[in-house]
Amino acid sequence: MTNLPWTCKPIYGFISDAYPILGYRRRPYILLSGLLGFLSWVAMGTIVSGVWQGFSAMLLGSAAIAVANVMSEALVVERSKGESQEFASHLQSVVWGAASVGGLIASFFSGYLLKWMSDRQVFLLSSLLPLSLVFTSFVTPDHKVKDVDAKKDEGRMRRQARELYRTIMMPEIFYPCAFIFLLNATPSTGSAWFYFYSSKPPLGLGFSPTFLGTVNVVGSIFNLGGVVLFQVFLKRLPFRPVLLLGTLVSTFLGLTNLVLVFHWNRKWGIPDEFFCLGESAVQAVVGWIATMPIIVMASRLCPEGMEGTCYALIMSINNLGGIIGTQIGAWLTIYLGVTATNLDNFWLLVFICNISTLLPLGLIGWVPAQDPHDIIEQRRASTAAADYEAEQEP
């Protein structure tokens, strides 16, 4: 429930685009989100003493970081305007590479700190991270825009919403978004892998919590490797072939998990732990190579003046597809009778979830073969000109 604010990202972008504060569309919102995030974790470390108090504090902190996330994404998209696809890819690689480093640090220290500090002390230490956004906001590159008087322009939000609708329904934007949604809406195995990893032999592999944490750390390290590989070798390539190849390779690697399920690796003399770590590493690399084109393409689909709203909406569509895919996978898990004590059909669940990833590739033509930014701006310019001529007619 504390992740609910992340489903409202387009609203944050819409408000910041439509209503600047003191002439700025990003800085004030970053500053406010930093303060709210700081206060939420201070509350967790001091006054929170019950479930609902903890929920309220975590909900506030989640909302604060979600707002800051939208603002930072908008800044990245704005910085990419007028630049080449190669520059946009480079910028996204830097940003997501930094995110991968942060994830790696969090994976390593999250449990380690609790050996030396109390839980409330860890919460107080965590509060310094959103507080850093307050200082970051003062050096954030944000161009001042003309102040908007909402009382004199009551129809501004309505016009902004109409413009957003017209923008998202443009074929150059609608079809790529639909493909991204369908690609993420394919079923996933979800928690069934946890059953298989944690259940004791012969039912499962009997991995310890410590080893499962190691798997997460390895995945974070190789997530960064995937970002670096995309930056070095693939950022200049068109979106369509990278997405196609990345999905095909990711599906193939997903099917190799059946080796672990049927214990074929043991016949080859490969320990379960070694095979699992190697599989996690390779899939993390390939997964990010397949994901980076979606992120870059989303930034290139955003027209000027609506960066925050449009990018947040596109990424929310991406997230919504993932949520639906998780729910479909959960339904399949129940339908196949896969539980913590029954893994007879687990192999079939893994097979179906991976093969289904290939289905959206029949619509790969919806992904632009070239950088869509110029086409979108030309279409918007021609539409605006037509609207102006219509308004001038008696």
Side-chain angles (χ1 to χ4, degrees), residues 53-97:
Q53 290 180 349
F55 166 73
S56 300
M58 293 178 66
L59 185 69
L60 178 63
S62 179
I65 300 304
V67 171
N69 175 260
V70 172
M71 298 304 109
S72 64
E73 289 173 344
L75 288 168
V76 171
V77 174
E78 290 171 0
R79 183 63 184 87
S80 300
K81 293 302 176 185
E83 304 289 351
S84 64
Q85 176 185 324
E86 178 182 349
F87 178 86
S89 299
H90 170 75
L91 192 56
Q92 291 287 356
S93 297
V94 171
V95 170
W96 286 94

Side-chain angles (χ1 to χ4, degrees), residues 85-388:
Q85 176 185 324
E86 178 182 349
F87 178 86
S89 299
H90 170 75
L91 192 56
Q92 291 287 356
S93 297
V94 171
V95 170
W96 286 94
S100 296
V101 172
L104 173 60
I105 294 172
S107 298
F108 181 79
F109 283 107
S110 57
Y112 179 79
L113 287 175
L114 286 174
K115 295 180 179 180
W116 307 99
M117 304 171 65
S118 68
D119 49 3
R120 292 188 181 272
Q121 289 174 335
V122 173
F123 291 147
L124 291 174
L125 180 63
S126 298
S127 70
L128 298 179
L129 297 175
L131 183 63
S132 67
L133 293 176
V134 175
F135 304 100
T136 303
S137 65
F138 291 104
V139 295
T140 297
D142 189 13
H143 300 292
K144 192 171 184 178
V145 297
K146 184 179 179 181
D147 290 335
V148 177
D149 188 344
K151 295 181 179 180
K152 294 182 179 180
D153 194 1
E154 296 179 355
R156 177 176 174 81
M157 288 286 283
R158 187 179 303 171
R159 290 197 300 271
Q160 193 87 345
R162 184 169 60 248
E163 178 67 15
L164 177 62
Y165 173 78
R166 290 171 58 177
T167 300
I168 205 67
M169 293 305 295
M170 290 169 56
E172 293 83 2
I173 297 180
F174 178 81
Y175 287 111
C177 288
F179 178 83
I180 292 173
F181 172 80
L182 292 174
L183 190 63
N184 284 277
T186 55
S188 61
T189 50
S191 60
W193 272 108
F194 178 76
Y195 300 154
F196 181 69
Y197 284 152
S198 59
S199 298
K200 295 182 178 180
L203 187 64
L205 300 180
F207 288 160
S208 67
T210 302
F211 180 76
L212 292 178
T214 302
V215 173
N216 290 333
V217 172
V218 170
S220 298
I221 293 173
F222 282 87
N223 278 340
L224 179 59
V227 175
V228 173
L229 283 177
F230 179 85
Q231 159 69 13
V232 174
F233 298 108
L234 302 175
K235 66 180 181 180
R236 299 179 180 86
L237 297 181
F239 301 122
R240 189 183 298 174
V242 177
L243 268 175
L244 177 61
L245 183 60
T247 303
L248 290 174
V249 174
S250 181
T251 301
F252 171 77
L253 290 174
L255 289 174
T256 61
N257 282 314
L258 293 174
V259 173
L260 196 62
V261 174
F262 289 117
H263 307 302
W264 294 335
N265 57 293
R266 297 176 183 177
K267 297 179 181 179
W268 303 338
I270 304 175
D272 293 338
E273 291 83 357
F274 184 81
F275 188 91
C276 183
L277 287 175
E279 188 76 13
S280 175
V282 175
Q283 285 202 24
V285 172
V286 175
W288 266 106
I289 289 176
T291 301
M292 284 303 298
I294 295 177
I295 296 172
V296 177
M297 182 170 64
S299 69
R300 302 300 283 173
L301 290 172
C302 299
E304 187 174 356
M306 302 185 65
E307 295 87 357
T309 308
C310 196
Y311 187 82
L313 179 59
I314 294 173
M315 296 309 293
S316 294
I317 292 172
N318 177 66
N319 295 335
L320 178 61
I323 292 172
I324 292 177
T326 300
Q327 295 304 311
I328 296 175
W331 177 83
L332 275 175
T333 302
I334 296 173
Y335 179 78
L336 295 174
V338 176
T339 66
T341 57
N342 183 8
L343 296 174
D344 293 342
N345 290 327
F346 179 57
W347 71 271
L348 184 58
L349 177 67
V350 174
F351 179 80
I352 293 174
C353 289
N354 281 281
I355 287 295
S356 64
T357 309
L358 299 176
L359 296 178
L361 293 183
L363 303 174
I364 192 67
W366 288 2
V367 176
Q370 56 186 9
D371 189 354
H373 176 71
D374 295 336
I375 300 175
I376 291 173
E377 290 300 330
Q378 290 174 4
R379 181 184 287 270
R380 290 188 80 221
S382 61
T383 302
D387 291 345
Y388 178 79

Side-chain angles (χ1 to χ4, degrees), residues 1-2 44 47-59:
M1 292 177 65
T2 58
M44 286 291 295
I47 63 175
V48 167
S49 59
V51 173
W52 288 105
Q53 290 180 349
F55 166 73
S56 300
M58 293 178 66
L59 185 69

